[in-house]
Structure formats: C-alpha cells, structure tokens
Amino acid sequence: MKQSLALAGIIGGLFWVCLAFFPPVGVRETRDYEILWNRLWTPALVCMGLGFIGLFQTFRAGASRSGKIGMAAMLIGLVLMIGSNFTEYWMLSALPHEGPNGIIRGVVWMTFLAGTLLMLLATAITGITMMRTEGFPRWLSLLFVLMLPLTIAIGFVSLNWAGTPIGILSIIVGSFGLRPRTALHVA
C-alpha cells in the first residue's frame, strides 16, 4: 500500500473519531454549528476512503471475484457518503430542512444513509471473502465483518458515536498499510 494513502486513512479515521467524541465548540442548537460540524465530516470521509483504496490496491490481485465486488461496493458507498455530505452541507446548506425545498435536502440525506448502509454491508462481504484470501490477516477480516453489528450496537448507545467503528477500522487499515511490505503477507 502506498504510504501516503495509508497515512490519509489514519488521519481521516482519527479526525472522524475525534469529531464524534470532541465536536467543535459552539452552541449546538444553532444552524451555523450544524453546518460547521457536518462540513468537517467531508474531509474525514475523503481521507478514510483514500486509506481503503490503498488497502484494496494491495490485496486486489489476491482477492476473489466476490472480494473485488465487495471492495468496489464499499468504495461506491463511501463515494455516495462523501458526495451527499458535500452536497447537503457545502452546496445546499441555505435550503431549509422543512417545506417544499426541504425535499431536496431530504433526498440528499437519504442518499447519505443509503451510501452508509451499502458501505457497511460491503465491508462485511469484503471481510467474509478476505478470510479466504492468502496474505490478508484473519483478524483484519474479522474487523471488517464486525463493522455493521458494531455500528448498530454503538448507535443504540449514542447516535453521535455510531460512526466510530469505521473510523477505528480506517486507523487500523492505515496502520496496517504503513507496515513493511513483507509484513503484509503474514496471515
């Protein structure tokens, strides 16, 4: 994995987790705070996506067809999340959430949720298929499989923390990518 992609994944994951536990300072109930807080998710998502791209470049050759499909679906989910977050909070933030104009923001929000679900389901599929891939560690495959149930379980505790498992996975994937090339093939 390219070092820069691995580092981007670590930075994105750290930023994502920090935003969940340490949101920006401000009056939380204001519209300006909501826009600022949600705009900060976009760069975190972009960096996390870069980290996953680096991991998948490393293991693409050894992955099965279903593994490659899972990887592609995971990246498509991340792209939907990034695009809808950017659209809603960078381009459409002047539109209200309610009323006739709120439908546009509602569709964009539903796209974000659909991208999140696609990404989490694809992460589980990728983890299952990567368990059989030589050179892909079993413990990392298991982490991929556990992303969906962990996200749901943590979401029941606090909706603000629901995204932390994928942020932590991004940090682990990036750290894994910074290891020497020979260490990548230890199962």
Side-chain angles (χ1 to χ4, degrees):
M1 177 181 344
K2 294 187 169 115
Q3 301 289 332
S4 57
L5 293 175
L7 195 55
I10 293 170
I11 291 169
L14 286 171
F15 194 36
W16 183 269
V17 171
C18 286
L19 280 173
F21 289 106
F22 308 107
V25 178
V27 181
R28 290 183 182 229
E29 305 305 319
T30 64
R31 184 167 174 83
D32 290 337
Y33 180 85
E34 174 202 353
I35 291 168
L36 169 68
W37 191 58
N38 284 290
R39 282 183 178 179
L40 293 174
W41 295 109
T42 303
L45 284 166
V46 168
C47 288
M48 288 170 34
L50 291 172
F52 286 114
I53 287 170
L55 179 72
F56 297 149
Q57 283 179 345
T58 302
F59 289 103
R60 184 179 52 214
S64 65
R65 182 175 180 204
S66 57
K68 290 177 186 177
I69 291 170
M71 290 177 198
M74 185 176 172
L75 293 175
I76 289 169
L78 277 166
V79 167
L80 288 172
M81 291 171 67
I82 293 165
S84 57
N85 182 273
F86 180 82
T87 301
E88 183 174 6
Y89 292 103
W90 291 84
M91 297 171 61
L92 303 176
S93 59
L95 293 178
H97 285 286
E98 298 85 22
N101 291 332
I103 292 172
I104 297 168
R105 287 190 76 176
V107 168
V108 173
W109 172 241
M110 293 307 287
T111 304
F112 180 86
L113 293 176
T116 303
L117 182 60
L118 175 62
M119 188 263 312
L120 289 171
L121 288 171
T123 301
I125 292 167
T126 301
I128 290 168
T129 60
M130 295 307 273
M131 283 184 182
R132 297 177 294 204
T133 302
E134 188 174 323
F136 199 83
R138 304 279 185 256
W139 62 269
L140 190 54
S141 300
L142 186 60
L143 285 177
F144 271 74
V145 171
L146 291 176
M147 283 304 103
L148 180 60
L150 281 174
T151 300
I152 292 170
I154 291 173
F156 280 119
V157 174
S158 171
L159 199 53
N160 290 336
W161 299 345
T164 55
I166 201 68
I168 292 169
L169 180 65
S170 181
I171 295 167
I172 293 169
V173 163
S175 301
F176 184 74
L178 289 177
R179 294 166 56 180
R181 189 80 169 142
T182 56
L184 292 176
H185 297 289
V186 176

